[in-house]
């Protein structure tokens, strides 16, 4: 589901010719960078406070980001991606 939603977002907000490039460069690169950034603190927390508490903290952080995203991100309001000039030409309207 995550992969489909990422491609749907990229297709909605970027030119159709760059979908695969945006996915490879943006999404995949951020996944690898995120793994590098999170692995060291997670390993330290495993050693200091234990496995269960570490996952509770990581789950709380994920929940926090989910809640912030639910209220700050909005759906795309564009219903029609066509240009106004094309609409006028089809309707026989001229300037």
């Amino acid at each position: 589901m995550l992969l489909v939603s990422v491609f749907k977002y990229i297709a909605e907000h970027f030119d159709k010719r760059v979908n695969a490039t945006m996915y490879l460069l943006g999404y995949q690169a951020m996944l690898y960078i995120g793994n590098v950034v999170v692995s060291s603190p997670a390993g330290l927390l495993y050693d200091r406070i234990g496995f269960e508490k570490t996952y509770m903290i990581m789950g709380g952080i994920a929940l926090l980001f989910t809640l912030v995203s639910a209220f700050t991100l909005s759906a795309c309001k564009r219903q029609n991606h066509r240009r106004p000039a094309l609409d006028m030409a089809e309707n026989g309207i001229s300037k």
Side-chain angles (χ1 to χ4, degrees), residues 7 10 18-30 32:
F7 269 114
I10 290 171
V18 296
N19 284 347
T21 305
M22 290 297 296
Y23 170 73
L24 289 173
L25 295 178
Y27 182 69
Q28 288 294 323
M30 287 301 112
Y32 292 125

Side-chain angles (χ1 to χ4, degrees), residues 7-22 78 81:
F7 269 114
K8 195 170 186 178
Y9 178 84
I10 290 171
E12 182 74 29
H13 295 288
F14 297 99
D15 187 28
K16 305 291 187 240
R17 294 173 287 187
V18 296
N19 284 347
T21 305
M22 290 297 296
R78 292 186 294 175
H81 297 282

Side-chain angles (χ1 to χ4, degrees), residues 29-92:
M30 287 301 112
L31 281 177
Y32 292 125
I33 291 171
N35 284 338
V36 169
V37 170
V38 171
S39 62
S40 293
L44 289 173
L45 286 174
Y46 285 165
D47 292 339
R48 292 192 180 164
I49 64 172
F51 179 79
E52 295 85 8
K53 290 180 182 176
T54 300
Y55 268 93
M56 292 299 287
I57 291 171
M58 291 169 60
I61 292 170
L63 179 63
L64 176 70
F65 274 96
T66 302
L67 291 174
V68 169
S69 298
F71 292 109
T72 58
L73 296 177
S74 63
C76 185
K77 301 224 183 319
R78 292 186 294 175
Q79 295 293 328
N80 194 354
H81 297 282
R82 298 168 63 190
R83 295 182 193 144
L86 291 176
D87 291 336
M88 289 191 298
E90 285 180 359
N91 293 330

